[in-house]
Amino acid sequence: MATTVTAKGQVTIPKRVRDLLGIVPGSQVDFRRTADGSVVLTRADQERPASRFEKLRGHAGKGLDTDAIMALTRGET
């Protein structure tokens, strides 16, 4: 997807990219340069939700048996 830079250095982020990242008017974005020199656009104002594995990090909690832990791991709850 290509876009044109205006005289003020502004660009329009393509709708497919805005939809993918959940960018709406007022959203903050961040541009980061990677090791290979390319630039990556990310949402800067939104915390990424914890994965189901990050939610289990630490301990399983009191009262969970093996079946309940496995169901959580598989995303069945």
Side-chain angles (χ1 to χ4, degrees), residues 4-50:
T4 304
V5 179
T6 69
K8 292 183 177 183
Q10 300 170 333
V11 297
T12 299
I13 301 170
K15 182 170 179 4
R16 291 192 312 185
V17 175
R18 292 191 316 263
D19 291 345
L20 177 71
L21 296 177
I23 296 172
V24 295
S27 296
Q28 293 183 350
V29 296
D30 187 29
F31 297 91
R32 296 195 180 159
R33 188 171 182 188
T34 63
D36 68 0
S38 60
V39 177
V40 176
L41 169 71
T42 58
R43 281 273 311 257
D45 61 349
Q46 178 182 25
E47 289 186 29
R48 293 184 181 197

